[in-house]
């Protein structure tokens, strides 16, 4: 029995992944050739997007210039797209999930499994909800894995070498997904950890805001690396305190440190945060999002708001000095220099940005307290 | 009894650290005010370098523009510089160690401890020797800690915020060193791990060569992050297989992931490796070192040669595909694209560099084998 794979979603990441999955399904004896891809139907220059994809094998709107394998068939109807599917690949904004799952339910094969490529986490009145758990709940308890990694969509579609991580609950399902996604240029590692892989993909965008702030201030490589490292530690603490089963090893995978590096050096969260500092308080993140992102959404600001709500409710904000400081800078008009101040073991009296003798920007303080109370001294 | 601190070395890293240590010794009740710094005497524009430092409080040759605290006293005689010292800070090329230790021995205080800021490892006929062990051996078994981190000297001297890691054997000594080095802008973490901290500081330079190769090829962020991550894993494997006591946690410290990031984005090893690729095989690393580094030495090429000798002797080269590939590219005329090929789970028949539809550089292969033997397919 060949496995039938369906892709739910067709944005830029969906198309990049459709190229790899489509290729693998053509060549592998245990996979059905045809891969149906659910496409949110829209008109593009007077033609249906699904018609364009099926005739020209290209999503001209969301991933122009990339040819999809001819066995990837665009389908505007999610019921027919997922009929009889053994594997569902979810790659779309999570807002769509509720409605789609209702239609998909019961329509797929009995043994169907799912994998979520959706970045972000959802928050409801009870706290954090994993997207993979939302899918599981929407589909009668189906087993749901996740795939996350240092995977800028355009580079994956263009055939640049990269790695990714699949987090699974059931090893057999992880192995099947490895077969479906792995490619010489898209190197998949599977690990038995769904929450670790998934939450890394959400929290990294918070850290990228901090990295963007250091770029905006013109600080050097040391400071940026320190912010990235401290951010990784706060991600780790946040995840492991909620999911004690998550091992340190997860953070060494592509979904952990590698994705964090890519997001803190490239990526739109970093870019908007840099612009935020350079605008000197004259522009909000909402304005910058509209100006710079051409309709795409900023994940980091959304996620930090939600994470702060959780931390405040639990009364543990102070255990996350970097997250707290990024929030205060982004939404509470805290000066951007305060990000570094909160990380040192000192109380801040006055921070000024200044250039040092090499023309590097540094924070300059007139008087600081640090160490034990009373141990006051002049610094710098 | 106040502790007397002496610094052995006065290059750019030595001066950056002398600024912090000097400040701390002025202000701390348990530390002697005066800090002697051994300086290799040389004439600079007709004056002795020690005189210049003691009169102008600036090492005009190796760290011009940075004022040292007035309690840091340059001394050309290592015996008087270290007389009665309770703490010795070693920060100089390790080639000098043998001769200096002979002079220092017995001259310091009874309870004297040392800390090594020397990057790199030494190799002799028996294999790898830690610099901290060389110091220990040279000084009658003295306890030696190490300090390593994401600390570009110029940024530290300029007052940019950064973090660093001290690896200790004896907790009490780690705490004393924390007092001597920690500063609001130079945030020290102490961990009970000398070899992990020390060897990270050497091996990161190998990985930086790989990162530079991706830059030279014009590959994107995904590929570079993958190389950095795989490099971190090979560092971890190399260190933990030799020192099983080294914990994963060490690699999350500044000496691990943060220093690696700084070295792979800034740093001279990365820069020379990029230039090596761009020269298209017309220039050796020795030539590039002379052209680009103005007398400074390239650590990465030295270290990879030594590491490869060890791996070859032990017959485990294939367990380190990235290190192996970096070595082959640097010294065996392997094509630079082979670095990516060796990382995938495939055998390579033909690799070409090509630009994709976005103008990104990618590796393009005509035929590859991958997965199980016989599972041959056309790719890309």
């Amino acid at each position: 029995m060949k496995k039938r794979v369906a892709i739910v979603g067709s944005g830029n990441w969906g198309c990049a992944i459709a190229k790899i999955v489509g290729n693998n399904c053509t060549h592998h004896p245990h996979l059905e050739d045809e891969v149906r891809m659910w496409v949110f139907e829209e008109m593009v220059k007077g033609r249906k997007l699904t018609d364009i994809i099926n005739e020209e094998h290209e999503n001209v709107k969301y991933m122009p210039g990339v040819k999809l394998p001819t066995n990837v068939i665009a389908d505007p109807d999610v019921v027919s797209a997922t009929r009889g599917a053994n594997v569902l690949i979810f790659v779309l904004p999570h807002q769509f999930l509720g409605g789609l799952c209702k239609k998909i339910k019961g329509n797929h094969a009995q043994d169907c499994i799912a994998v979520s490529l959706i970045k972000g986490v959802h928050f409801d009145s009870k706290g954090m909800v994993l997207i993979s758990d939302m899918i599981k709940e929407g589909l009668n308890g189906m087993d749901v894995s996740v795939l996350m990694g240092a995977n800028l969509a355009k580079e994956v579609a263009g055939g640049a070498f990269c790695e990714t991580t699949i987090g699974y609950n059931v090893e057999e399902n992880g192995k099947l997904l490895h077969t479906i996604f792995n490619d010489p240029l898209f190197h998949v590692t599977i690990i038995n950890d769904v929450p670790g892989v998934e939450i890394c993909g959400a929290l990294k965008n918070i850290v990228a805001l901090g990295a963007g702030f250091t770029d905006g201030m013109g600080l050097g490589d040391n400071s940026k690396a320190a912010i990235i490292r401290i951010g990784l530690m706060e991600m780790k603490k946040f995840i492991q305190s909620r999911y004690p089963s998550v091992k340190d090893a997860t953070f060494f995978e592509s979904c952990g440190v590698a994705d964090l590096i890519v997001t803190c050096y490239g990526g739109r969260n970093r870019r908007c945060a840099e612009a935020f500092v350079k605008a000197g308080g004259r522009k909000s993140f909402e304005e910058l999002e509209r100006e710079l992102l051409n309709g795409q959404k900023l994940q980091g600001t959304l996620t930090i708001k939600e994470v702060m709500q959780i931390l405040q409710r639990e009364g543990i904000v102070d255990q996350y000095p970097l997250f707290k400081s990024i929030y205060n800078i982004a939404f509470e008009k805290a000066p951007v220099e305060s990000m570094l101040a909160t990380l040192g073991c000192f109380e801040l009296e006055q921070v000024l940005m200044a250039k040092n003798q090499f023309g590097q920007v540094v924070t300059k303080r007139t008087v600081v307290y640090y160490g034990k109370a009373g141990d006051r001294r002049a610094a710098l």
Side-chain angles (χ1 to χ4, degrees), chain A:
Chain A
M1 282 292 294
K2 289 189 174 191
K3 300 282 186 188
R4 189 169 178 79
V5 179
I7 301 173
V8 184
S10 57
N12 63 346
W13 187 210
C15 288
I17 219 67
K19 196 178 153 189
I20 292 171
V21 170
N23 262 330
N24 282 341
C25 288
T26 313
H27 294 97
H28 201 284
H30 300 123
L31 300 173
E32 193 74 61
D33 229 55
E34 185 183 276
V35 175
R36 294 242 155 208
M37 176 169 76
W38 175 70
V39 176
F40 178 80
E41 188 69 287
E42 51 190 305
M43 299 302 287
V44 178
K45 293 185 186 162
R47 294 169 68 195
K48 287 181 179 170
L49 183 54
T50 49
D51 287 345
I52 298 174
I53 294 174
N54 288 333
E55 286 157 25
E56 297 168 24
H57 307 292
E58 183 177 332
N59 186 334
V60 293
K61 181 152 184 191
Y62 296 106
M63 189 53 95
V66 172
K67 286 292 170 195
L68 298 172
T70 54
N71 57 321
V72 173
I73 311 294
D75 190 332
D77 176 9
V78 77
V79 175
S80 81
T82 59
R83 183 167 295 136
N86 306 90
V87 179
L88 296 169
I89 299 169
F90 285 94
V91 52
L92 75 174
H94 75 73
Q95 292 80 350
F96 291 90
L97 276 179
L100 287 172
C101 282
K102 285 199 188 94
K103 294 182 188 168
I104 295 168
K105 193 155 64 177
N107 185 47
H108 50 74
Q110 281 279 334
D111 67 351
C112 189
I113 64 167
V115 59
S116 168
L117 277 61
I118 303 170
K119 300 263 168 99
V121 278
H122 181 61
F123 294 86
D124 67 12
S125 58
K126 277 167 283 173
M128 188 172 59
V129 184
L130 298 185
I131 306 287
S132 58
D133 281 339
M134 291 172 63
I135 297 172
K136 182 177 178 170
E137 203 168 299
L139 294 176
N140 289 333
M142 179 182 293
D143 181 59
V144 185
S145 305
V146 295
L147 181 151
M148 309 274 153
N151 307 138
L152 298 176
K154 212 170 172 178
E155 293 187 10
V156 173
F161 171 78
C162 68
E163 299 186 302
T164 200
T165 312
I166 287 176
Y168 64 79
N169 296 304
V170 179
E171 191 176 357
E172 190 193 331
N173 296 341
K175 284 182 180 168
L176 172 59
L177 292 170
H178 185 273
T179 304
I180 292 170
F181 286 99
N182 192 53
D183 177 277
L185 294 178
F186 188 69
H187 205 177
V188 176
T189 303
I190 64 171
I191 61 174
N192 181 11
D193 178 3
V194 172
V197 175
E198 184 165 356
I199 308 174
C200 275
L203 298 186
K204 63 168 193 182
N205 291 317
I206 298 178
V207 184
L209 295 177
F213 290 156
T214 68
D215 288 340
M217 288 188 271
L219 294 169
D221 291 323
N222 288 354
S223 303
K224 186 165 175 176
I227 294 299
I228 295 173
R229 191 198 76 81
I230 295 167
L232 182 61
M233 290 304 92
E234 293 196 6
M235 287 168 60
K236 190 164 162 296
K237 185 196 282 187
F238 186 88
I239 295 171
Q240 290 180 329
S241 65
R242 268 140 245 278
Y243 295 89
S245 67
V246 174
K247 292 185 201 72
D248 283 1
T250 297
F251 301 91
F252 289 127
E253 294 294 342
S254 181
C255 65
V257 63
D259 198 9
L260 184 64
I261 292 172
V262 164
T263 311
C264 289
Y265 280 88
R268 50 187 189 249
N269 291 281
R270 189 214 64 79
R271 188 153 56 95
C272 285
E274 182 180 14
F276 179 82
V277 174
K278 290 192 167 161
R282 293 182 307 277
K283 288 181 183 171
S284 69
F285 269 106
E286 289 71 25
E287 282 174 87
L288 290 165
E289 195 174 358
R290 278 195 300 277
E291 276 179 26
L292 297 176
L293 295 188
N294 193 27
Q296 285 190 297
K297 287 292 169 197
L298 208 53
Q299 293 284 347
T301 47
L302 214 65
T303 309
I304 185 62
K305 277 188 198 168
E306 308 274 23
V307 164
M308 278 302 284
Q309 274 188 19
I310 292 185
L311 297 179
Q312 276 158 356
R313 197 187 306 154
E314 297 175 2
I316 54 170
V317 173
D318 289 338
Q319 293 177 25
Y320 295 84
L322 181 63
F323 286 1
K324 174 185 174 185
S325 160
I326 289 170
Y327 177 81
N328 286 338
I329 293 165
F331 300 110
E332 301 289 343
K333 297 196 184 305
V336 70
E337 306 84 53
S338 63
M339 182 169 69
L340 300 185
T342 54
L343 300 177
C345 50
F346 59 94
E347 252 183 82
L348 193 74
E349 288 205 345
Q350 191 182 351
V351 175
L352 295 164
M353 298 302 293
K355 289 207 172 177
N356 68 15
Q357 59 275 46
F358 307 116
Q360 302 161 343
V361 181
V362 295
T363 52
K364 223 177 165 60
R365 289 147 305 109
T366 48
V367 180
V368 294
Y369 295 89
Y370 80 117
K372 298 199 193 79
D375 182 16
R376 181 173 182 162
R377 62 154 227 197
L380 278 184

